Amino acid sequence: MKSQRESQNKPRKIRLFGRGWRLLGRMIPVLLVAVWCGPLTGAKVLAAPDPLHSAGLPLELSALPWAVHQGWSPEDRAGFAWDGPAVARPKRFPLIPDRLFAYQPQDKPLHFGLMTRFTLSPQALTGLDPLAIYLPVVGENWEVFVNGQPVRDEMTLDESGFIARRRTLMGVLFPLDKSLFHAGENTLVFHLAGDAMPSGWVSNSLLGLLSTKPYLLGGYQQLEAMTSRNLELSMQVIYLFLAFFLLMFYLRRKQEFHFLHLGLFSLLLAVFYLAYHPVMVRLVDDTEWLTRARWVALAGMGPLLLLFLETYFFEDKRLPWFIKLFLVLPVPLAAGFLVLPLAVAQIGLRVWQVYALGAIVVGGYFLVRGLREKTHDARGVSAIFLGFILVVGLDIGWDMATQTRLGYTQYTFFVVVLALVMLIVNRFIVLHAREELLNAQLTRQKNAFFRFVPTQFLSLLGKQSAEEIDLGNSSAQTMSVLFCDIRSFTSLSEKMTPEETFRFLNGYLAFMEPSISTHGGFVDKFMGDGIMALFALPLGDKAGEASSERALMAALRMLGSLEAFNGLRVMEGAPPIRIGIGIHTGPLTLGTVGSTGRLDTTVIGDTVNLASRVESLTSHFKVDLMITEDVVKGLARPVDWPMREIGLAVVKGRTRPITLYEVFQAEKEGSRQLKMESAPAFAQALASYRQGRFLQAQGGFAAIAAQNPDDRLAAFYQQQCNRMIENPPPPGWDGVEVFTHK
């Protein structure tokens, strides 16, 4: 037994360890497939065999020989000499022209011509699919010529020759008229313009054909299918999703700062990669601010990733001052990216590369320290960051040495962010599971208390929790009180064993209680086979309107539940049971009684006693549901409720008569309809009864009972009339029935 208890009390770490992974592991593929495959379903699939392939298309332009000419004249659009003056022959892409020539400081933009020649077969110029050019990245201002004819113009210079709007674009695909080409050799020329840099040791990385990815010439539909950016778009959308996911975690648990830092890091990743997406470029004329947004995001990613490591491993520990200083260094760098001229701001990119290498060292410091101190998840995070550091360090070093990018960092970021999210979500779930175990224990204790003292009772006493209850607490309220009792329960229980009696009562009460709680009431006491329920008057209501209606609706629902309960009893071979329900509305007092060692809650007042007396009279008058005149007054529209007056009665303990009503809405359709139709005749017969005209009243009640054998109240008054005829009442009798017993 001890080992079983120990195993039950242990945190369910092994079972819970994979929940975070499974949670995101289920969401991410669905999102990936939805974003990536959705656009693919609308893509035009090339039929096989493709005649363009047999014509040598698509043609990889970046694999052809290129010539770069410094300067530009209108004659260059048709081409220029391969080996002329101020002409360079680059060996590989990307083509960044100002890297190929000696630095010459100047105020106005630099102009360059880029040229290549290629051969097309006659077959390439046939067919319906137009030709097109695909440019992975091109900037800053540019225009394209085929055989001397303009095909795309993104050159936006003002009258003084300065750049008016920057047009650095990614993923550009535009169609070309086949009539511009001819079989044999063709010439393709780019005219590029961009800012001159303030220093010769930094080139303009926004000017040129800036990607190592293939630049292509081919059929438009062919290139559209080949150059789909669905995978990249999927990753960028997932970055946004993860950012939202993590920031929502942080808003729920603001002490967990690593959620905030990794969420902002994911958000900046999305900004960085989405800034040049064709959808974003179509929304703006000038891409300068998209460029600045990319650079600011770049400046913020390093410190956010380091802050994540710091808060994840050492949330409650102090770090060396130089580490904290290192974390704020990118702030002035980001400010420079926003406000400095774009050519000057590009110098900050080299500064950022140096900072990024330093950030790798600081990140290594965090990892080593975490491993030495054996902090949580140190091994998992270290394994993730080891691969990340190697790839990012190699990419930055390669860029600084060769001024070209390997392009692996984007995919590495994606893998790292996913792995980190899964890791911290898993950690959160394990911690949350431990909290749930503690909360479950507290909840069980609280629920155990509220099974004896309803929460509504506490609210009516103005208390928030059980700890606030003291002996003598009380509150005066106007409420509706409902009593319900099983008819002939004593004789019924005599035929059952104690176990059968408890099983019967629990089954019966399980059917009745939901009807009360559904309509805003609560059970104050279970009294054997009896139920006492209270319906409070909500703040703002008048004279018990809401409580009366809700109590009456609960009573009708209880009678409906009784039919279902009786159906089960009949199936088990047991006889059906009947109940009586009485309701009264009025003032009462709720409070606590007892001693300092033992407290109980109770409700006292004439309203409670009268509601109990009304319920006991249901068996006398042979009705199922009886209410007082005060309940009727509390109804918004009494005429909407099928009811009729029963008569006047003085119950035990009172001297003033009360008017009683039968509500018969829960009866079967036929009986209910007959009672509604006979209501005027019943009222007339009742008036004759009160006036002592018993023969006339007896005839009226007899006619009603004959028409509706289920009308037990009419049959009751018919018998009463017979008794009064045989034994007339004393002089002065006013039709009020006086009860001297409960």
Side-chain angles (χ1 to χ4, degrees), residues 533-584:
L534 304 177
F535 295 82
L537 173 65
L539 195 63
D541 281 4
K542 298 179 181 179
E545 287 178 354
S547 62
S548 296
E549 294 203 359
R550 288 185 288 107
L552 188 51
M553 287 188 290
L556 293 172
R557 184 162 180 163
M558 291 170 70
L559 292 171
S561 299
L562 180 66
E563 290 190 16
F565 178 73
N566 280 333
L568 294 177
R569 285 182 57 80
V570 171
M571 291 175 61
E572 295 173 354
I577 62 171
R578 300 187 69 91
I579 62 173
I581 301 176
I583 305 174
H584 178 57

Short mmCIF file of all heavy atoms in Angstrom, two decimals, residues 533-584:
data_model
loop_
_atom_site.label_atom_id
_atom_site.label_comp_id
_atom_site.label_asym_id
_atom_site.label_seq_id
_atom_site.Cartn_x
_atom_site.Cartn_y
_atom_site.Cartn_z
N ALA A 533 -35.19 24.30 -1.05
CA ALA A 533 -34.35 25.05 -1.98
C ALA A 533 -34.68 26.53 -1.86
O ALA A 533 -35.82 26.92 -1.57
CB ALA A 533 -34.57 24.58 -3.41
N LEU A 534 -33.65 27.36 -2.11
CA LEU A 534 -33.78 28.81 -2.01
C LEU A 534 -33.46 29.46 -3.35
O LEU A 534 -32.53 29.04 -4.05
CB LEU A 534 -32.84 29.37 -0.93
CG LEU A 534 -32.99 28.79 0.48
CD1 LEU A 534 -31.94 29.38 1.40
CD2 LEU A 534 -34.39 29.05 1.02
N PHE A 535 -34.22 30.49 -3.65
CA PHE A 535 -34.00 31.26 -4.88
C PHE A 535 -33.87 32.72 -4.48
O PHE A 535 -34.83 33.35 -4.02
CB PHE A 535 -35.15 31.08 -5.87
CG PHE A 535 -35.26 29.67 -6.38
CD1 PHE A 535 -35.91 28.69 -5.63
CD2 PHE A 535 -34.70 29.31 -7.60
CE1 PHE A 535 -36.00 27.39 -6.09
CE2 PHE A 535 -34.79 28.02 -8.07
CZ PHE A 535 -35.43 27.05 -7.31
N ALA A 536 -32.64 33.25 -4.62
CA ALA A 536 -32.37 34.60 -4.15
C ALA A 536 -32.89 35.63 -5.13
O ALA A 536 -33.10 35.36 -6.32
CB ALA A 536 -30.87 34.79 -3.95
N LEU A 537 -33.09 36.83 -4.64
CA LEU A 537 -33.50 37.96 -5.46
C LEU A 537 -32.25 38.66 -5.98
O LEU A 537 -31.52 39.27 -5.20
CB LEU A 537 -34.33 38.95 -4.62
CG LEU A 537 -34.71 40.27 -5.28
CD1 LEU A 537 -35.63 40.02 -6.45
CD2 LEU A 537 -35.36 41.20 -4.27
N PRO A 538 -31.95 38.56 -7.29
CA PRO A 538 -30.75 39.21 -7.81
C PRO A 538 -30.82 40.72 -7.61
O PRO A 538 -31.89 41.32 -7.60
CB PRO A 538 -30.75 38.86 -9.31
CG PRO A 538 -31.64 37.67 -9.41
CD PRO A 538 -32.66 37.82 -8.33
N LEU A 539 -29.65 41.35 -7.47
CA LEU A 539 -29.56 42.78 -7.24
C LEU A 539 -30.21 43.52 -8.40
O LEU A 539 -29.92 43.28 -9.56
CB LEU A 539 -28.09 43.20 -7.10
CG LEU A 539 -27.85 44.59 -6.50
CD1 LEU A 539 -28.37 44.64 -5.08
CD2 LEU A 539 -26.37 44.92 -6.54
N GLY A 540 -31.08 44.44 -8.10
CA GLY A 540 -31.72 45.24 -9.15
C GLY A 540 -33.14 44.79 -9.47
O GLY A 540 -33.89 45.52 -10.08
N ASP A 541 -33.53 43.55 -9.05
CA ASP A 541 -34.89 43.10 -9.31
C ASP A 541 -35.84 43.67 -8.25
O ASP A 541 -35.43 44.13 -7.18
CB ASP A 541 -34.97 41.57 -9.29
CG ASP A 541 -34.45 40.99 -10.59
OD1 ASP A 541 -33.99 41.78 -11.42
OD2 ASP A 541 -34.51 39.77 -10.74
N LYS A 542 -37.13 43.63 -8.55
CA LYS A 542 -38.12 44.21 -7.66
C LYS A 542 -39.01 43.12 -7.06
O LYS A 542 -39.46 42.23 -7.76
CB LYS A 542 -39.02 45.20 -8.41
CG LYS A 542 -38.27 46.40 -8.98
CD LYS A 542 -39.23 47.31 -9.73
CE LYS A 542 -38.52 48.50 -10.33
NZ LYS A 542 -39.44 49.37 -11.08
N ALA A 543 -39.24 43.25 -5.76
CA ALA A 543 -40.28 42.48 -5.06
C ALA A 543 -40.29 41.01 -5.40
O ALA A 543 -41.32 40.37 -5.51
CB ALA A 543 -41.65 43.08 -5.38
N GLY A 544 -39.15 40.42 -5.58
CA GLY A 544 -39.07 38.99 -5.79
C GLY A 544 -39.46 38.51 -7.15
O GLY A 544 -39.78 37.35 -7.34
N GLU A 545 -39.54 39.39 -8.15
CA GLU A 545 -39.96 38.97 -9.50
C GLU A 545 -39.12 37.81 -10.01
O GLU A 545 -39.64 36.77 -10.37
CB GLU A 545 -39.86 40.15 -10.47
CG GLU A 545 -40.94 41.20 -10.27
CD GLU A 545 -40.77 42.36 -11.23
OE1 GLU A 545 -39.75 42.37 -11.96
OE2 GLU A 545 -41.63 43.24 -11.26
N ALA A 546 -37.80 38.01 -10.04
CA ALA A 546 -36.93 36.99 -10.63
C ALA A 546 -36.95 35.71 -9.82
O ALA A 546 -37.01 34.62 -10.37
CB ALA A 546 -35.51 37.52 -10.76
N SER A 547 -36.92 35.83 -8.49
CA SER A 547 -36.85 34.63 -7.67
C SER A 547 -38.14 33.82 -7.79
O SER A 547 -38.11 32.58 -7.82
CB SER A 547 -36.58 34.99 -6.21
OG SER A 547 -37.63 35.79 -5.68
N SER A 548 -39.29 34.47 -7.87
CA SER A 548 -40.56 33.74 -7.99
C SER A 548 -40.62 32.97 -9.29
O SER A 548 -41.00 31.78 -9.32
CB SER A 548 -41.74 34.72 -7.91
OG SER A 548 -41.79 35.33 -6.65
N GLU A 549 -40.25 33.63 -10.39
CA GLU A 549 -40.32 32.96 -11.68
C GLU A 549 -39.33 31.81 -11.77
O GLU A 549 -39.64 30.74 -12.30
CB GLU A 549 -40.08 33.97 -12.80
CG GLU A 549 -41.17 35.01 -12.89
CD GLU A 549 -41.25 35.64 -14.28
OE1 GLU A 549 -40.44 35.27 -15.14
OE2 GLU A 549 -42.13 36.48 -14.49
N ARG A 550 -38.13 32.02 -11.25
CA ARG A 550 -37.13 30.95 -11.32
C ARG A 550 -37.52 29.78 -10.43
O ARG A 550 -37.29 28.61 -10.79
CB ARG A 550 -35.75 31.50 -10.94
CG ARG A 550 -35.18 32.40 -12.03
CD ARG A 550 -33.76 32.86 -11.75
NE ARG A 550 -33.72 33.84 -10.68
CZ ARG A 550 -33.27 33.62 -9.45
NH1 ARG A 550 -32.83 32.41 -9.13
NH2 ARG A 550 -33.25 34.57 -8.53
N ALA A 551 -38.09 30.04 -9.29
CA ALA A 551 -38.55 28.95 -8.42
C ALA A 551 -39.66 28.16 -9.09
O ALA A 551 -39.70 26.92 -9.03
CB ALA A 551 -39.02 29.52 -7.08
N LEU A 552 -40.58 28.87 -9.75
CA LEU A 552 -41.69 28.20 -10.42
C LEU A 552 -41.19 27.37 -11.61
O LEU A 552 -41.64 26.23 -11.82
CB LEU A 552 -42.71 29.23 -10.88
CG LEU A 552 -44.04 28.70 -11.44
CD1 LEU A 552 -44.66 27.68 -10.50
CD2 LEU A 552 -44.99 29.85 -11.71
N MET A 553 -40.23 27.92 -12.38
CA MET A 553 -39.67 27.15 -13.50
C MET A 553 -38.92 25.92 -13.00
O MET A 553 -38.97 24.85 -13.62
CB MET A 553 -38.74 28.05 -14.32
CG MET A 553 -39.48 29.09 -15.15
SD MET A 553 -38.40 30.00 -16.29
CE MET A 553 -37.45 30.97 -15.14
N ALA A 554 -38.24 26.05 -11.88
CA ALA A 554 -37.53 24.90 -11.31
C ALA A 554 -38.52 23.82 -10.89
O ALA A 554 -38.29 22.62 -11.11
CB ALA A 554 -36.66 25.34 -10.14
N ALA A 555 -39.62 24.23 -10.27
CA ALA A 555 -40.63 23.26 -9.84
C ALA A 555 -41.21 22.50 -11.02
O ALA A 555 -41.40 21.27 -10.97
CB ALA A 555 -41.72 23.98 -9.06
N LEU A 556 -41.52 23.22 -12.10
CA LEU A 556 -42.07 22.56 -13.28
C LEU A 556 -41.05 21.60 -13.89
O LEU A 556 -41.41 20.50 -14.35
CB LEU A 556 -42.47 23.61 -14.31
CG LEU A 556 -43.65 24.51 -13.90
CD1 LEU A 556 -43.84 25.64 -14.89
CD2 LEU A 556 -44.94 23.69 -13.78
N ARG A 557 -39.79 21.98 -13.87
CA ARG A 557 -38.76 21.08 -14.40
C ARG A 557 -38.59 19.86 -13.50
O ARG A 557 -38.32 18.76 -13.99
CB ARG A 557 -37.44 21.83 -14.53
CG ARG A 557 -36.34 21.01 -15.17
CD ARG A 557 -35.23 21.89 -15.65
NE ARG A 557 -34.16 21.10 -16.27
CZ ARG A 557 -33.24 21.60 -17.06
NH1 ARG A 557 -33.23 22.89 -17.36
NH2 ARG A 557 -32.30 20.83 -17.57
N MET A 558 -38.76 20.03 -12.20
CA MET A 558 -38.69 18.89 -11.27
C MET A 558 -39.80 17.88 -11.58
O MET A 558 -39.58 16.66 -11.55
CB MET A 558 -38.78 19.38 -9.83
CG MET A 558 -37.55 20.17 -9.37
SD MET A 558 -37.79 20.98 -7.78
CE MET A 558 -37.80 19.56 -6.68
N LEU A 559 -40.99 18.41 -11.88
CA LEU A 559 -42.09 17.49 -12.22
C LEU A 559 -41.80 16.76 -13.53
O LEU A 559 -42.16 15.58 -13.68
CB LEU A 559 -43.40 18.28 -12.32
CG LEU A 559 -43.92 18.86 -11.00
CD1 LEU A 559 -45.09 19.79 -11.25
CD2 LEU A 559 -44.32 17.73 -10.05
N GLY A 560 -41.14 17.46 -14.47
CA GLY A 560 -40.74 16.78 -15.70
C GLY A 560 -39.69 15.72 -15.45
O GLY A 560 -39.71 14.62 -16.04
N SER A 561 -38.73 16.01 -14.56
CA SER A 561 -37.69 15.03 -14.22
C SER A 561 -38.29 13.83 -13.49
O SER A 561 -37.78 12.71 -13.61
CB SER A 561 -36.62 15.69 -13.35
OG SER A 561 -35.99 16.75 -14.03
N LEU A 562 -39.35 14.09 -12.74
CA LEU A 562 -40.00 12.98 -12.04
C LEU A 562 -40.55 11.96 -13.02
O LEU A 562 -40.50 10.74 -12.76
CB LEU A 562 -41.12 13.53 -11.14
CG LEU A 562 -41.90 12.47 -10.36
CD1 LEU A 562 -40.99 11.81 -9.32
CD2 LEU A 562 -43.13 13.10 -9.69
N GLU A 563 -41.08 12.40 -14.15
CA GLU A 563 -41.58 11.46 -15.15
C GLU A 563 -40.46 10.57 -15.66
O GLU A 563 -40.65 9.36 -15.83
CB GLU A 563 -42.22 12.23 -16.31
CG GLU A 563 -43.52 12.92 -15.96
CD GLU A 563 -44.22 13.45 -17.21
OE1 GLU A 563 -43.85 13.01 -18.33
OE2 GLU A 563 -45.12 14.28 -17.06
N ALA A 564 -39.27 11.15 -15.89
CA ALA A 564 -38.13 10.34 -16.34
C ALA A 564 -37.71 9.36 -15.26
O ALA A 564 -37.40 8.19 -15.55
CB ALA A 564 -36.97 11.26 -16.72
N PHE A 565 -37.70 9.81 -14.00
CA PHE A 565 -37.33 8.92 -12.90
C PHE A 565 -38.34 7.79 -12.76
O PHE A 565 -37.97 6.62 -12.57
CB PHE A 565 -37.25 9.74 -11.61
CG PHE A 565 -36.92 8.92 -10.39
CD1 PHE A 565 -35.64 8.43 -10.20
CD2 PHE A 565 -37.89 8.65 -9.44
CE1 PHE A 565 -35.33 7.66 -9.08
CE2 PHE A 565 -37.60 7.89 -8.32
CZ PHE A 565 -36.31 7.39 -8.14
N ASN A 566 -39.62 8.11 -12.87
CA ASN A 566 -40.65 7.07 -12.78
C ASN A 566 -40.56 6.08 -13.94
O ASN A 566 -40.87 4.89 -13.79
CB ASN A 566 -42.04 7.70 -12.75
CG ASN A 566 -42.39 8.22 -11.36
OD1 ASN A 566 -41.89 7.71 -10.35
ND2 ASN A 566 -43.23 9.24 -11.30
N GLY A 567 -40.16 6.58 -15.10
CA GLY A 567 -39.99 5.67 -16.23
C GLY A 567 -38.95 4.61 -15.94
O GLY A 567 -39.12 3.42 -16.29
N LEU A 568 -37.84 5.00 -15.29
CA LEU A 568 -36.82 4.01 -14.91
C LEU A 568 -37.36 3.05 -13.85
O LEU A 568 -37.06 1.84 -13.89
CB LEU A 568 -35.58 4.74 -14.38
CG LEU A 568 -34.80 5.59 -15.39
CD1 LEU A 568 -33.64 6.29 -14.71
CD2 LEU A 568 -34.27 4.71 -16.53
N ARG A 569 -38.14 3.55 -12.92
CA ARG A 569 -38.70 2.67 -11.87
C ARG A 569 -39.65 1.64 -12.48
O ARG A 569 -39.63 0.47 -12.10
CB ARG A 569 -39.44 3.50 -10.81
CG ARG A 569 -38.49 4.22 -9.87
CD ARG A 569 -39.27 5.01 -8.81
NE ARG A 569 -40.18 4.19 -8.02
CZ ARG A 569 -39.82 3.41 -6.99
NH1 ARG A 569 -38.53 3.35 -6.65
NH2 ARG A 569 -40.72 2.73 -6.31
N VAL A 570 -40.47 2.07 -13.41
CA VAL A 570 -41.40 1.14 -14.05
C VAL A 570 -40.63 0.06 -14.81
O VAL A 570 -41.00 -1.12 -14.78
CB VAL A 570 -42.36 1.90 -14.98
CG1 VAL A 570 -43.18 0.93 -15.83
CG2 VAL A 570 -43.28 2.80 -14.18
N MET A 571 -39.54 0.45 -15.48
CA MET A 571 -38.71 -0.54 -16.19
C MET A 571 -38.10 -1.55 -15.23
O MET A 571 -37.88 -2.71 -15.59
CB MET A 571 -37.61 0.18 -16.97
CG MET A 571 -38.11 1.00 -18.16
SD MET A 571 -36.79 1.94 -18.95
CE MET A 571 -35.71 0.60 -19.46
N GLU A 572 -37.85 -1.13 -13.98
CA GLU A 572 -37.28 -2.03 -12.98
C GLU A 572 -38.35 -2.80 -12.21
O GLU A 572 -38.04 -3.54 -11.28
CB GLU A 572 -36.43 -1.22 -12.00
CG GLU A 572 -35.20 -0.58 -12.64
CD GLU A 572 -34.48 0.36 -11.69
OE1 GLU A 572 -35.02 0.59 -10.57
OE2 GLU A 572 -33.41 0.87 -12.05
N GLY A 573 -39.62 -2.56 -12.55
CA GLY A 573 -40.70 -3.27 -11.89
C GLY A 573 -41.18 -2.62 -10.61
O GLY A 573 -41.91 -3.24 -9.83
N ALA A 574 -40.79 -1.36 -10.36
CA ALA A 574 -41.20 -0.64 -9.15
C ALA A 574 -42.32 0.32 -9.50
O ALA A 574 -42.41 0.81 -10.63
CB ALA A 574 -40.01 0.11 -8.56
N PRO A 575 -43.18 0.63 -8.54
CA PRO A 575 -44.29 1.54 -8.83
C PRO A 575 -43.80 2.98 -8.94
O PRO A 575 -42.81 3.36 -8.31
CB PRO A 575 -45.21 1.36 -7.62
CG PRO A 575 -44.28 0.96 -6.51
CD PRO A 575 -43.21 0.12 -7.15
N PRO A 576 -44.48 3.81 -9.71
CA PRO A 576 -44.11 5.24 -9.79
C PRO A 576 -44.44 5.96 -8.49
O PRO A 576 -45.25 5.48 -7.69
CB PRO A 576 -44.93 5.76 -10.96
CG PRO A 576 -46.10 4.84 -11.04
CD PRO A 576 -45.61 3.48 -10.61
N ILE A 577 -43.81 7.07 -8.28
CA ILE A 577 -44.05 7.87 -7.07
C ILE A 577 -44.63 9.22 -7.48
O ILE A 577 -44.54 9.64 -8.63
CB ILE A 577 -42.76 8.08 -6.26
CG1 ILE A 577 -41.73 8.86 -7.10
CG2 ILE A 577 -42.18 6.76 -5.80
CD1 ILE A 577 -40.51 9.29 -6.30
N ARG A 578 -45.24 9.90 -6.48
CA ARG A 578 -45.75 11.24 -6.68
C ARG A 578 -45.07 12.17 -5.69
O ARG A 578 -44.63 11.73 -4.61
CB ARG A 578 -47.27 11.31 -6.50
CG ARG A 578 -48.06 10.43 -7.44
CD ARG A 578 -49.56 10.71 -7.30
NE ARG A 578 -49.90 12.03 -7.80
CZ ARG A 578 -50.27 12.26 -9.07
NH1 ARG A 578 -50.34 11.27 -9.94
NH2 ARG A 578 -50.58 13.48 -9.46
N ILE A 579 -44.97 13.44 -6.05
CA ILE A 579 -44.37 14.42 -5.15
C ILE A 579 -45.30 15.61 -5.04
O ILE A 579 -46.19 15.81 -5.88
CB ILE A 579 -42.98 14.89 -5.63
CG1 ILE A 579 -43.08 15.59 -7.00
CG2 ILE A 579 -42.00 13.74 -5.68
CD1 ILE A 579 -41.77 16.22 -7.47
N GLY A 580 -45.11 16.38 -3.99
CA GLY A 580 -45.82 17.64 -3.83
C GLY A 580 -44.81 18.75 -3.66
O GLY A 580 -43.81 18.60 -2.95
N ILE A 581 -45.07 19.88 -4.31
CA ILE A 581 -44.15 21.02 -4.26
C ILE A 581 -44.93 22.25 -3.83
O ILE A 581 -46.00 22.55 -4.39
CB ILE A 581 -43.49 21.29 -5.63
CG1 ILE A 581 -42.71 20.06 -6.10
CG2 ILE A 581 -42.56 22.50 -5.55
CD1 ILE A 581 -42.13 20.21 -7.49
N GLY A 582 -44.38 22.98 -2.83
CA GLY A 582 -44.98 24.22 -2.38
C GLY A 582 -43.96 25.34 -2.44
O GLY A 582 -42.79 25.15 -2.10
N ILE A 583 -44.39 26.54 -2.87
CA ILE A 583 -43.49 27.69 -3.02
C ILE A 583 -44.13 28.90 -2.38
O ILE A 583 -45.33 29.16 -2.55
CB ILE A 583 -43.20 27.99 -4.50
CG1 ILE A 583 -42.66 26.76 -5.23
CG2 ILE A 583 -42.20 29.14 -4.62
CD1 ILE A 583 -42.50 26.97 -6.72
N HIS A 584 -43.31 29.67 -1.65
CA HIS A 584 -43.74 30.95 -1.09
C HIS A 584 -42.58 31.93 -1.19
O HIS A 584 -41.41 31.55 -1.09
CB HIS A 584 -44.16 30.79 0.37
CG HIS A 584 -44.58 32.08 1.01
ND1 HIS A 584 -45.59 32.87 0.50
CD2 HIS A 584 -44.10 32.74 2.11
CE1 HIS A 584 -45.73 33.95 1.27
NE2 HIS A 584 -44.82 33.89 2.25
#
